[in-house]
Amino acid sequence: MPAIRRYAVCGLSARGLASFVLPILGLTDRTDRTAEGGFGYGSDEDDLSGYAEVVAIVDTDADRVTEFNRSLEALGRAPIPFFAEYEEMLKTVVPDAVIVTSPDHTHEQYIHGALRHDIDVITEKPMVTTAAAAREVLAAERASGGSVQVTHNLRYAAAHREVKRLIQAGTIGRVARVVMDYHVDLRHGASYFLRWNRRRALSGGLQVHKSSHHFDLLNWWIGETPEELFGYGALNYYGPSSPHRAQRAEDPYFLAQQGSGVFPDEDSAPRADLFGLHYPDQYPADRPLYIYDAEIDIEDTYSAVARYPGGAILSYSIDFSSTWEGFRLSIAGTHGSIDLLHGRTVDGAALPGSDRITVAELFGPTRVVEVTAEAGGHGGADPLMRHDLFAGPSPESVALGLMATSTEAAYAVAMGDALIQSSTTHRPVNLPHLLA
Ligand SMILES: NC(=O)c1ccc[n+]([C@@H]2O[C@H](COP(=O)([O-])OP(=O)(O)OC[C@H]3O[C@@H](n4cnc5c(N)ncnc54)[C@H](O)[C@@H]3O)[C@@H](O)[C@H]2O)c1
């Protein structure tokens, strides 16, 4: 058996619980979730307790951690030591690594703190919220004995790995043109405007918070990071000027999500995550958030064009109030093309033709590759990524370069930041300069 590594978790978030804390605790039986006071997530194969243990939780919300620890005790488990002070935790617990799953703007402080002590970091995407902060992390990592790994899990989805394999095998020649038309459905999209993500200071804006996922995936497929990016963005659907703004009872977004659990049923209801764990500090019941609030300062619609050193041109576009969720992807190479639709309706039904990769040789045949999603979070991506992080990279992972490096993650952040900057200045942004 490998040695069990000791991890401290910064931010007891929904993502932190689902993706790290519960698998590491071995609480992987979904039926636990319905048991009184119980938590459970994932599948049996996803039990990481043989590789890792959680030795500390750092969070700004002591009550949320107490509620979690009580649930653990109800399951006959020991509570996890809680620290409000990060530095104190690092000095007293001395973990082997920290897992950063707090809101995006806080990643920076946790990454730097760990690197100062030569401690390894696994951080959720986006690595940080600005290109300047990404540059600082890369410099700190160079000076530290610790390393930074970023959880760009989207690479691991079965269809995405297949696209990478096809490009890597030279099936379509050199990539010349990529178009990604991304849609976030009106329930999922609205949910960003009900949470901390809606403030640029906390998330970097959706260009960084959400699209860093897509930019990383696109760069990985293309096999390069871009030189220059130009973009536009706007707030069309949410915020105080929304054309749909209405009282909750008549609000089309509220009506469209009823029964799905995306919006809290009432303004004053205490907010909880998918495990029923509350957020008294982050979302106090007396300060309800709604999708038309004036404090919303991010865009919900944007497009970018980017140029890569090898000659590829990217065209990327997204909105957060669509009638479907997913994307159309078209990759044209010097010797052929790859086309993929990955999409579902708001209610979750797969769109016709979804998850079939069409591979056309320029002067040859066309074939269709059917892709089946695997079990586990994000179409089976999360368990594979966790295996790489905790047990070590699989041969496939090494062959495809599945694990995102900190430099790749920095580019994904910088592209989002460049898109925001370009939308304001109406000028293209040079990405290597932004990170130099
Ligand atoms: N890779 C993915 O697919 C994926 C999916 C969802 C979220 N995420 C990322 O995971 C992270 C968490 O997102 P979420 O929506 O699950 O969060 P969340 O809103 O569910 O929870 C945030 C937690 O952080 C705590 N917190 C707030 N400020 C803090 C601070 N300064 N220090 C420590 N803790 C603090 C809150 O009390 C809360 O417990 C984000 O970085 C997000 O971008 C990634």
Side-chain angles (χ1 to χ4, degrees), residues 11-15 58-61 64 101-104 106-107 110 124-126 151 153 195-196 209 213 279 282 378:
L12 188 65
S13 55
R15 177 69 181 166
V58 177
D59 201 293
T60 40
D61 190 341
R64 180 170 162 82
T101 50
S102 45
D104 304 344
T106 67
H107 293 184
Y110 293 125
E124 260 306 339
K125 54 54 47 184
T151 57
N153 49 338
R195 297 181 281 137
W196 55 264
H209 173 78
H213 258 322
Y279 296 98
Q282 189 167 271
H378 294 103

PDB file of all heavy atoms in Angstrom, residues 11-15 58-61 64 101-104 106-107 110 124-126 151 153 195-196 209 213 279 282 378, ligand 1:
ATOM      1  N   GLY A  11     -11.396  25.680   2.534  1.00  0.00           N
ATOM      2  CA  GLY A  11     -12.709  25.945   1.945  1.00  0.00           C
ATOM      3  C   GLY A  11     -13.538  24.672   1.903  1.00  0.00           C
ATOM      4  O   GLY A  11     -13.354  23.827   1.032  1.00  0.00           O
ATOM      5  N   LEU A  12     -14.448  24.541   2.882  1.00  0.00           N
ATOM      6  CA  LEU A  12     -15.324  23.353   2.924  1.00  0.00           C
ATOM      7  C   LEU A  12     -16.510  23.608   1.987  1.00  0.00           C
ATOM      8  O   LEU A  12     -17.662  23.701   2.408  1.00  0.00           O
ATOM      9  CB  LEU A  12     -15.792  23.091   4.365  1.00  0.00           C
ATOM     10  CG  LEU A  12     -16.556  21.783   4.588  1.00  0.00           C
ATOM     11  CD1 LEU A  12     -15.661  20.569   4.341  1.00  0.00           C
ATOM     12  CD2 LEU A  12     -17.144  21.737   5.990  1.00  0.00           C
ATOM     13  N   SER A  13     -16.207  23.747   0.708  1.00  0.00           N
ATOM     14  CA  SER A  13     -17.221  24.104  -0.300  1.00  0.00           C
ATOM     15  C   SER A  13     -17.979  22.875  -0.767  1.00  0.00           C
ATOM     16  O   SER A  13     -17.587  21.735  -0.468  1.00  0.00           O
ATOM     17  CB  SER A  13     -16.516  24.723  -1.505  1.00  0.00           C
ATOM     18  OG  SER A  13     -15.524  23.817  -1.981  1.00  0.00           O
ATOM     19  N   ALA A  14     -19.020  23.104  -1.561  1.00  0.00           N
ATOM     20  CA  ALA A  14     -19.750  21.999  -2.172  1.00  0.00           C
ATOM     21  C   ALA A  14     -18.774  21.171  -3.015  1.00  0.00           C
ATOM     22  O   ALA A  14     -18.740  19.945  -2.953  1.00  0.00           O
ATOM     23  CB  ALA A  14     -20.884  22.543  -3.033  1.00  0.00           C
ATOM     24  N   ARG A  15     -17.956  21.879  -3.802  1.00  0.00           N
ATOM     25  CA  ARG A  15     -16.973  21.171  -4.642  1.00  0.00           C
ATOM     26  C   ARG A  15     -15.925  20.445  -3.787  1.00  0.00           C
ATOM     27  O   ARG A  15     -15.541  19.320  -4.074  1.00  0.00           O
ATOM     28  CB  ARG A  15     -16.294  22.186  -5.576  1.00  0.00           C
ATOM     29  CG  ARG A  15     -15.211  21.615  -6.441  1.00  0.00           C
ATOM     30  CD  ARG A  15     -15.754  20.692  -7.492  1.00  0.00           C
ATOM     31  NE  ARG A  15     -14.698  20.119  -8.329  1.00  0.00           N
ATOM     32  CZ  ARG A  15     -14.871  19.087  -9.144  1.00  0.00           C
ATOM     33  NH1 ARG A  15     -16.048  18.509  -9.241  1.00  0.00           N
ATOM     34  NH2 ARG A  15     -13.882  18.631  -9.858  1.00  0.00           N
ATOM     35  N   VAL A  58      -9.714  24.469   6.834  1.00  0.00           N
ATOM     36  CA  VAL A  58      -9.615  25.914   7.046  1.00  0.00           C
ATOM     37  C   VAL A  58     -10.820  26.538   6.352  1.00  0.00           C
ATOM     38  O   VAL A  58     -11.078  26.246   5.176  1.00  0.00           O
ATOM     39  CB  VAL A  58      -8.315  26.485   6.430  1.00  0.00           C
ATOM     40  CG1 VAL A  58      -8.252  27.990   6.586  1.00  0.00           C
ATOM     41  CG2 VAL A  58      -7.094  25.824   7.054  1.00  0.00           C
ATOM     42  N   ASP A  59     -11.583  27.352   7.058  1.00  0.00           N
ATOM     43  CA  ASP A  59     -12.752  27.995   6.443  1.00  0.00           C
ATOM     44  C   ASP A  59     -13.041  29.244   7.259  1.00  0.00           C
ATOM     45  O   ASP A  59     -12.645  29.331   8.434  1.00  0.00           O
ATOM     46  CB  ASP A  59     -13.955  27.030   6.472  1.00  0.00           C
ATOM     47  CG  ASP A  59     -15.025  27.383   5.441  1.00  0.00           C
ATOM     48  OD1 ASP A  59     -15.666  28.453   5.591  1.00  0.00           O
ATOM     49  OD2 ASP A  59     -15.225  26.606   4.499  1.00  0.00           O
ATOM     50  N   THR A  60     -13.718  30.208   6.637  1.00  0.00           N
ATOM     51  CA  THR A  60     -14.097  31.417   7.373  1.00  0.00           C
ATOM     52  C   THR A  60     -15.408  31.215   8.126  1.00  0.00           C
ATOM     53  O   THR A  60     -15.808  32.070   8.908  1.00  0.00           O
ATOM     54  CB  THR A  60     -14.248  32.606   6.398  1.00  0.00           C
ATOM     55  OG1 THR A  60     -14.879  32.124   5.208  1.00  0.00           O
ATOM     56  CG2 THR A  60     -12.903  33.208   6.044  1.00  0.00           C
ATOM     57  N   ASP A  61     -16.080  30.100   7.869  1.00  0.00           N
ATOM     58  CA  ASP A  61     -17.385  29.857   8.476  1.00  0.00           C
ATOM     59  C   ASP A  61     -17.288  28.700   9.489  1.00  0.00           C
ATOM     60  O   ASP A  61     -17.467  27.523   9.144  1.00  0.00           O
ATOM     61  CB  ASP A  61     -18.393  29.531   7.370  1.00  0.00           C
ATOM     62  CG  ASP A  61     -19.818  29.513   7.877  1.00  0.00           C
ATOM     63  OD1 ASP A  61     -20.007  29.395   9.110  1.00  0.00           O
ATOM     64  OD2 ASP A  61     -20.736  29.608   7.047  1.00  0.00           O
ATOM     65  N   ARG A  64     -20.405  26.425   9.730  1.00  0.00           N
ATOM     66  CA  ARG A  64     -20.561  25.435   8.647  1.00  0.00           C
ATOM     67  C   ARG A  64     -19.688  24.201   8.930  1.00  0.00           C
ATOM     68  O   ARG A  64     -20.126  23.069   8.793  1.00  0.00           O
ATOM     69  CB  ARG A  64     -20.166  26.092   7.308  1.00  0.00           C
ATOM     70  CG  ARG A  64     -20.286  25.190   6.114  1.00  0.00           C
ATOM     71  CD  ARG A  64     -20.112  26.010   4.818  1.00  0.00           C
ATOM     72  NE  ARG A  64     -19.791  25.173   3.679  1.00  0.00           N
ATOM     73  CZ  ARG A  64     -20.703  24.495   2.950  1.00  0.00           C
ATOM     74  NH1 ARG A  64     -21.986  24.569   3.250  1.00  0.00           N
ATOM     75  NH2 ARG A  64     -20.331  23.755   1.932  1.00  0.00           N
ATOM     76  N   THR A 101     -10.120  24.675  -2.133  1.00  0.00           N
ATOM     77  CA  THR A 101     -11.466  24.586  -2.710  1.00  0.00           C
ATOM     78  C   THR A 101     -12.357  25.699  -2.161  1.00  0.00           C
ATOM     79  O   THR A 101     -13.553  25.520  -1.973  1.00  0.00           O
ATOM     80  CB  THR A 101     -12.089  23.196  -2.418  1.00  0.00           C
ATOM     81  OG1 THR A 101     -11.953  22.937  -1.010  1.00  0.00           O
ATOM     82  CG2 THR A 101     -11.418  22.092  -3.183  1.00  0.00           C
ATOM     83  N   SER A 102     -11.766  26.835  -1.904  1.00  0.00           N
ATOM     84  CA  SER A 102     -12.491  28.008  -1.408  1.00  0.00           C
ATOM     85  C   SER A 102     -12.858  28.885  -2.607  1.00  0.00           C
ATOM     86  O   SER A 102     -12.437  28.616  -3.731  1.00  0.00           O
ATOM     87  CB  SER A 102     -11.578  28.755  -0.433  1.00  0.00           C
ATOM     88  OG  SER A 102     -10.274  28.866  -0.991  1.00  0.00           O
ATOM     89  N   PRO A 103     -13.631  29.990  -2.406  1.00  0.00           N
ATOM     90  CA  PRO A 103     -13.942  30.873  -3.542  1.00  0.00           C
ATOM     91  C   PRO A 103     -12.672  31.334  -4.255  1.00  0.00           C
ATOM     92  O   PRO A 103     -11.604  31.498  -3.638  1.00  0.00           O
ATOM     93  CB  PRO A 103     -14.690  32.027  -2.869  1.00  0.00           C
ATOM     94  CG  PRO A 103     -15.351  31.380  -1.682  1.00  0.00           C
ATOM     95  CD  PRO A 103     -14.344  30.385  -1.178  1.00  0.00           C
ATOM     96  N   ASP A 104     -12.799  31.570  -5.542  1.00  0.00           N
ATOM     97  CA  ASP A 104     -11.639  31.754  -6.426  1.00  0.00           C
ATOM     98  C   ASP A 104     -10.643  32.821  -5.942  1.00  0.00           C
ATOM     99  O   ASP A 104      -9.428  32.628  -6.047  1.00  0.00           O
ATOM    100  CB  ASP A 104     -12.117  32.136  -7.835  1.00  0.00           C
ATOM    101  CG  ASP A 104     -13.094  31.126  -8.414  1.00  0.00           C
ATOM    102  OD1 ASP A 104     -13.184  30.002  -7.890  1.00  0.00           O
ATOM    103  OD2 ASP A 104     -13.781  31.472  -9.401  1.00  0.00           O
ATOM    104  N   THR A 106      -9.728  33.651  -3.164  1.00  0.00           N
ATOM    105  CA  THR A 106      -8.939  33.282  -1.984  1.00  0.00           C
ATOM    106  C   THR A 106      -7.848  32.251  -2.310  1.00  0.00           C
ATOM    107  O   THR A 106      -7.007  31.965  -1.459  1.00  0.00           O
ATOM    108  CB  THR A 106      -9.850  32.700  -0.873  1.00  0.00           C
ATOM    109  OG1 THR A 106     -10.372  31.440  -1.326  1.00  0.00           O
ATOM    110  CG2 THR A 106     -11.024  33.608  -0.557  1.00  0.00           C
ATOM    111  N   HIS A 107      -7.867  31.699  -3.526  1.00  0.00           N
ATOM    112  CA  HIS A 107      -6.887  30.648  -3.865  1.00  0.00           C
ATOM    113  C   HIS A 107      -5.461  31.155  -3.688  1.00  0.00           C
ATOM    114  O   HIS A 107      -4.584  30.443  -3.178  1.00  0.00           O
ATOM    115  CB  HIS A 107      -7.074  30.181  -5.313  1.00  0.00           C
ATOM    116  CG  HIS A 107      -8.371  29.467  -5.559  1.00  0.00           C
ATOM    117  ND1 HIS A 107      -8.697  28.902  -6.762  1.00  0.00           N
ATOM    118  CD2 HIS A 107      -9.445  29.223  -4.754  1.00  0.00           C
ATOM    119  CE1 HIS A 107      -9.888  28.332  -6.702  1.00  0.00           C
ATOM    120  NE2 HIS A 107     -10.375  28.527  -5.490  1.00  0.00           N
ATOM    121  N   TYR A 110      -3.873  31.044  -0.241  1.00  0.00           N
ATOM    122  CA  TYR A 110      -3.599  29.678   0.233  1.00  0.00           C
ATOM    123  C   TYR A 110      -2.448  29.038  -0.543  1.00  0.00           C
ATOM    124  O   TYR A 110      -1.640  28.300   0.023  1.00  0.00           O
ATOM    125  CB  TYR A 110      -4.871  28.823   0.150  1.00  0.00           C
ATOM    126  CG  TYR A 110      -5.921  29.288   1.130  1.00  0.00           C
ATOM    127  CD1 TYR A 110      -7.205  29.625   0.723  1.00  0.00           C
ATOM    128  CD2 TYR A 110      -5.600  29.424   2.483  1.00  0.00           C
ATOM    129  CE1 TYR A 110      -8.155  30.075   1.640  1.00  0.00           C
ATOM    130  CE2 TYR A 110      -6.540  29.880   3.401  1.00  0.00           C
ATOM    131  CZ  TYR A 110      -7.808  30.206   2.972  1.00  0.00           C
ATOM    132  OH  TYR A 110      -8.727  30.657   3.882  1.00  0.00           O
ATOM    133  N   GLU A 124      -8.357  24.043  -6.941  1.00  0.00           N
ATOM    134  CA  GLU A 124      -9.450  24.065  -7.900  1.00  0.00           C
ATOM    135  C   GLU A 124      -9.167  25.133  -8.944  1.00  0.00           C
ATOM    136  O   GLU A 124      -8.421  26.076  -8.712  1.00  0.00           O
ATOM    137  CB  GLU A 124     -10.782  24.385  -7.185  1.00  0.00           C
ATOM    138  CG  GLU A 124     -11.635  23.185  -6.898  1.00  0.00           C
ATOM    139  CD  GLU A 124     -11.930  22.344  -8.147  1.00  0.00           C
ATOM    140  OE1 GLU A 124     -11.837  22.850  -9.283  1.00  0.00           O
ATOM    141  OE2 GLU A 124     -12.229  21.159  -7.977  1.00  0.00           O
ATOM    142  N   LYS A 125      -9.757  24.953 -10.115  1.00  0.00           N
ATOM    143  CA  LYS A 125      -9.725  25.993 -11.121  1.00  0.00           C
ATOM    144  C   LYS A 125     -10.668  27.105 -10.684  1.00  0.00           C
ATOM    145  O   LYS A 125     -11.608  26.805  -9.953  1.00  0.00           O
ATOM    146  CB  LYS A 125     -10.088  25.482 -12.508  1.00  0.00           C
ATOM    147  CG  LYS A 125     -11.410  24.740 -12.659  1.00  0.00           C
ATOM    148  CD  LYS A 125     -12.737  25.236 -12.243  1.00  0.00           C
ATOM    149  CE  LYS A 125     -13.287  26.572 -12.510  1.00  0.00           C
ATOM    150  NZ  LYS A 125     -14.612  26.810 -11.892  1.00  0.00           N
ATOM    151  N   PRO A 126     -10.549  28.334 -11.119  1.00  0.00           N
ATOM    152  CA  PRO A 126      -9.366  28.870 -11.759  1.00  0.00           C
ATOM    153  C   PRO A 126      -8.246  28.970 -10.732  1.00  0.00           C
ATOM    154  O   PRO A 126      -8.507  29.247  -9.560  1.00  0.00           O
ATOM    155  CB  PRO A 126      -9.823  30.268 -12.209  1.00  0.00           C
ATOM    156  CG  PRO A 126     -10.872  30.654 -11.211  1.00  0.00           C
ATOM    157  CD  PRO A 126     -11.551  29.390 -10.826  1.00  0.00           C
ATOM    158  N   THR A 151      -6.911  21.582 -10.940  1.00  0.00           N
ATOM    159  CA  THR A 151      -7.871  20.526 -11.276  1.00  0.00           C
ATOM    160  C   THR A 151      -8.714  20.878 -12.504  1.00  0.00           C
ATOM    161  O   THR A 151      -9.919  21.118 -12.383  1.00  0.00           O
ATOM    162  CB  THR A 151      -8.784  20.251 -10.070  1.00  0.00           C
ATOM    163  OG1 THR A 151      -9.422  21.485  -9.726  1.00  0.00           O
ATOM    164  CG2 THR A 151      -8.000  19.751  -8.881  1.00  0.00           C
ATOM    165  N   ASN A 153     -10.484  19.411 -14.650  1.00  0.00           N
ATOM    166  CA  ASN A 153     -11.098  18.092 -14.839  1.00  0.00           C
ATOM    167  C   ASN A 153     -11.736  17.885 -16.204  1.00  0.00           C
ATOM    168  O   ASN A 153     -11.912  16.750 -16.632  1.00  0.00           O
ATOM    169  CB  ASN A 153     -12.138  17.827 -13.733  1.00  0.00           C
ATOM    170  CG  ASN A 153     -13.107  18.980 -13.556  1.00  0.00           C
ATOM    171  OD1 ASN A 153     -12.817  20.107 -13.924  1.00  0.00           O
ATOM    172  ND2 ASN A 153     -14.264  18.719 -12.986  1.00  0.00           N
ATOM    173  N   ARG A 195     -25.012  33.438  -6.523  1.00  0.00           N
ATOM    174  CA  ARG A 195     -23.915  33.010  -5.644  1.00  0.00           C
ATOM    175  C   ARG A 195     -22.758  34.008  -5.716  1.00  0.00           C
ATOM    176  O   ARG A 195     -22.788  34.954  -6.499  1.00  0.00           O
ATOM    177  CB  ARG A 195     -23.438  31.612  -6.063  1.00  0.00           C
ATOM    178  CG  ARG A 195     -24.509  30.559  -5.907  1.00  0.00           C
ATOM    179  CD  ARG A 195     -24.018  29.175  -6.291  1.00  0.00           C
ATOM    180  NE  ARG A 195     -23.981  28.970  -7.717  1.00  0.00           N
ATOM    181  CZ  ARG A 195     -22.986  28.370  -8.370  1.00  0.00           C
ATOM    182  NH1 ARG A 195     -21.930  27.937  -7.721  1.00  0.00           N
ATOM    183  NH2 ARG A 195     -23.032  28.202  -9.669  1.00  0.00           N
ATOM    184  N   TRP A 196     -21.701  33.745  -4.947  1.00  0.00           N
ATOM    185  CA  TRP A 196     -20.557  34.655  -4.894  1.00  0.00           C
ATOM    186  C   TRP A 196     -19.930  34.894  -6.260  1.00  0.00           C
ATOM    187  O   TRP A 196     -19.326  35.936  -6.513  1.00  0.00           O
ATOM    188  CB  TRP A 196     -19.500  34.150  -3.900  1.00  0.00           C
ATOM    189  CG  TRP A 196     -19.001  32.738  -4.132  1.00  0.00           C
ATOM    190  CD1 TRP A 196     -19.453  31.601  -3.517  1.00  0.00           C
ATOM    191  CD2 TRP A 196     -17.985  32.302  -5.047  1.00  0.00           C
ATOM    192  NE1 TRP A 196     -18.778  30.494  -3.983  1.00  0.00           N
ATOM    193  CE2 TRP A 196     -17.868  30.890  -4.925  1.00  0.00           C
ATOM    194  CE3 TRP A 196     -17.147  32.957  -5.946  1.00  0.00           C
ATOM    195  CZ2 TRP A 196     -16.972  30.141  -5.672  1.00  0.00           C
ATOM    196  CZ3 TRP A 196     -16.245  32.197  -6.700  1.00  0.00           C
ATOM    197  CH2 TRP A 196     -16.172  30.813  -6.553  1.00  0.00           C
ATOM    198  N   HIS A 209     -13.748  32.498 -14.151  1.00  0.00           N
ATOM    199  CA  HIS A 209     -14.321  31.435 -13.309  1.00  0.00           C
ATOM    200  C   HIS A 209     -14.777  30.223 -14.138  1.00  0.00           C
ATOM    201  O   HIS A 209     -14.476  29.085 -13.804  1.00  0.00           O
ATOM    202  CB  HIS A 209     -15.503  31.991 -12.512  1.00  0.00           C
ATOM    203  CG  HIS A 209     -16.242  30.944 -11.754  1.00  0.00           C
ATOM    204  ND1 HIS A 209     -15.778  30.431 -10.569  1.00  0.00           N
ATOM    205  CD2 HIS A 209     -17.377  30.257 -12.040  1.00  0.00           C
ATOM    206  CE1 HIS A 209     -16.617  29.498 -10.143  1.00  0.00           C
ATOM    207  NE2 HIS A 209     -17.581  29.371 -11.021  1.00  0.00           N
ATOM    208  N   HIS A 213     -11.924  26.864 -17.684  1.00  0.00           N
ATOM    209  CA  HIS A 213     -12.120  25.447 -18.007  1.00  0.00           C
ATOM    210  C   HIS A 213     -12.002  25.222 -19.515  1.00  0.00           C
ATOM    211  O   HIS A 213     -11.325  24.318 -19.978  1.00  0.00           O
ATOM    212  CB  HIS A 213     -13.569  25.060 -17.669  1.00  0.00           C
ATOM    213  CG  HIS A 213     -13.741  24.318 -16.396  1.00  0.00           C
ATOM    214  ND1 HIS A 213     -12.880  23.376 -15.941  1.00  0.00           N
ATOM    215  CD2 HIS A 213     -14.751  24.354 -15.490  1.00  0.00           C
ATOM    216  CE1 HIS A 213     -13.338  22.877 -14.809  1.00  0.00           C
ATOM    217  NE2 HIS A 213     -14.461  23.456 -14.512  1.00  0.00           N
ATOM    218  N   TYR A 279     -24.676  27.664   4.769  1.00  0.00           N
ATOM    219  CA  TYR A 279     -23.637  28.685   4.567  1.00  0.00           C
ATOM    220  C   TYR A 279     -23.988  29.939   5.375  1.00  0.00           C
ATOM    221  O   TYR A 279     -24.191  31.009   4.782  1.00  0.00           O
ATOM    222  CB  TYR A 279     -23.597  29.119   3.114  1.00  0.00           C
ATOM    223  CG  TYR A 279     -23.229  28.131   2.053  1.00  0.00           C
ATOM    224  CD1 TYR A 279     -24.215  27.475   1.312  1.00  0.00           C
ATOM    225  CD2 TYR A 279     -21.900  27.920   1.708  1.00  0.00           C
ATOM    226  CE1 TYR A 279     -23.884  26.616   0.272  1.00  0.00           C
ATOM    227  CE2 TYR A 279     -21.557  27.058   0.671  1.00  0.00           C
ATOM    228  CZ  TYR A 279     -22.550  26.409  -0.036  1.00  0.00           C
ATOM    229  OH  TYR A 279     -22.219  25.573  -1.071  1.00  0.00           O
ATOM    230  N   GLN A 282     -21.422  32.881   4.438  1.00  0.00           N
ATOM    231  CA  GLN A 282     -21.352  33.320   3.037  1.00  0.00           C
ATOM    232  C   GLN A 282     -22.689  33.848   2.534  1.00  0.00           C
ATOM    233  O   GLN A 282     -22.734  34.810   1.766  1.00  0.00           O
ATOM    234  CB  GLN A 282     -20.898  32.122   2.188  1.00  0.00           C
ATOM    235  CG  GLN A 282     -20.572  32.442   0.760  1.00  0.00           C
ATOM    236  CD  GLN A 282     -19.827  31.279   0.099  1.00  0.00           C
ATOM    237  OE1 GLN A 282     -18.611  31.211   0.151  1.00  0.00           O
ATOM    238  NE2 GLN A 282     -20.545  30.373  -0.507  1.00  0.00           N
ATOM    239  N   HIS A 378     -19.004  14.918 -13.548  1.00  0.00           N
ATOM    240  CA  HIS A 378     -18.609  15.524 -14.825  1.00  0.00           C
ATOM    241  C   HIS A 378     -18.322  14.461 -15.891  1.00  0.00           C
ATOM    242  O   HIS A 378     -17.238  14.429 -16.482  1.00  0.00           O
ATOM    243  CB  HIS A 378     -17.426  16.484 -14.651  1.00  0.00           C
ATOM    244  CG  HIS A 378     -17.786  17.693 -13.824  1.00  0.00           C
ATOM    245  ND1 HIS A 378     -17.425  17.841 -12.519  1.00  0.00           N
ATOM    246  CD2 HIS A 378     -18.494  18.797 -14.136  1.00  0.00           C
ATOM    247  CE1 HIS A 378     -17.896  18.988 -12.045  1.00  0.00           C
ATOM    248  NE2 HIS A 378     -18.552  19.581 -13.011  1.00  0.00           N
TER     249      HIS A 378
HETATM  250  N1  LIG B   1     -13.688  21.839 -11.318  1.00  0.00           N
HETATM  251  C1  LIG B   1     -15.003  21.958 -11.244  1.00  0.00           C
HETATM  252  O1  LIG B   1     -15.729  21.327 -11.988  1.00  0.00           O
HETATM  253  C2  LIG B   1     -15.606  22.882 -10.213  1.00  0.00           C
HETATM  254  C3  LIG B   1     -16.979  22.846  -9.960  1.00  0.00           C
HETATM  255  C4  LIG B   1     -17.497  23.706  -8.993  1.00  0.00           C
HETATM  256  C5  LIG B   1     -16.673  24.584  -8.310  1.00  0.00           C
HETATM  257  N2  LIG B   1     -15.340  24.608  -8.591  1.00  0.00           N
HETATM  258  C6  LIG B   1     -14.427  25.491  -7.858  1.00  0.00           C
HETATM  259  O2  LIG B   1     -14.426  25.045  -6.505  1.00  0.00           O
HETATM  260  C7  LIG B   1     -14.269  26.138  -5.617  1.00  0.00           C
HETATM  261  C8  LIG B   1     -15.411  26.166  -4.620  1.00  0.00           C
HETATM  262  O3  LIG B   1     -16.605  26.505  -5.301  1.00  0.00           O
HETATM  263  P1  LIG B   1     -18.045  26.136  -4.681  1.00  0.00           P
HETATM  264  O4  LIG B   1     -19.063  26.776  -5.558  1.00  0.00           O
HETATM  265  O5  LIG B   1     -18.139  24.681  -4.460  1.00  0.00           O
HETATM  266  O6  LIG B   1     -17.976  26.927  -3.288  1.00  0.00           O
HETATM  267  P2  LIG B   1     -19.111  27.054  -2.164  1.00  0.00           P
HETATM  268  O7  LIG B   1     -19.775  28.369  -2.353  1.00  0.00           O
HETATM  269  O8  LIG B   1     -19.941  25.828  -2.127  1.00  0.00           O
HETATM  270  O9  LIG B   1     -18.270  27.084  -0.810  1.00  0.00           O
HETATM  271  C9  LIG B   1     -17.306  28.035  -0.515  1.00  0.00           C
HETATM  272  C10 LIG B   1     -16.721  27.644   0.845  1.00  0.00           C
HETATM  273  O10 LIG B   1     -15.574  28.437   1.093  1.00  0.00           O
HETATM  274  C11 LIG B   1     -15.729  29.067   2.361  1.00  0.00           C
HETATM  275  N3  LIG B   1     -14.990  30.318   2.331  1.00  0.00           N
HETATM  276  C12 LIG B   1     -15.382  31.561   1.952  1.00  0.00           C
HETATM  277  N4  LIG B   1     -14.352  32.423   2.042  1.00  0.00           N
HETATM  278  C13 LIG B   1     -13.283  31.702   2.493  1.00  0.00           C
HETATM  279  C14 LIG B   1     -11.945  32.011   2.790  1.00  0.00           C
HETATM  280  N5  LIG B   1     -11.458  33.243   2.649  1.00  0.00           N
HETATM  281  N6  LIG B   1     -11.146  31.024   3.230  1.00  0.00           N
HETATM  282  C15 LIG B   1     -11.609  29.747   3.386  1.00  0.00           C
HETATM  283  N7  LIG B   1     -12.863  29.411   3.131  1.00  0.00           N
HETATM  284  C16 LIG B   1     -13.693  30.360   2.665  1.00  0.00           C
HETATM  285  C17 LIG B   1     -17.218  29.203   2.567  1.00  0.00           C
HETATM  286  O11 LIG B   1     -17.547  29.342   3.931  1.00  0.00           O
HETATM  287  C18 LIG B   1     -17.683  27.866   2.008  1.00  0.00           C
HETATM  288  O12 LIG B   1     -17.529  26.848   2.948  1.00  0.00           O
HETATM  289  C19 LIG B   1     -14.175  27.371  -6.504  1.00  0.00           C
HETATM  290  O13 LIG B   1     -12.837  27.684  -6.760  1.00  0.00           O
HETATM  291  C20 LIG B   1     -14.856  26.946  -7.784  1.00  0.00           C
HETATM  292  O14 LIG B   1     -14.401  27.676  -8.916  1.00  0.00           O
HETATM  293  C21 LIG B   1     -14.800  23.760  -9.524  1.00  0.00           C
END
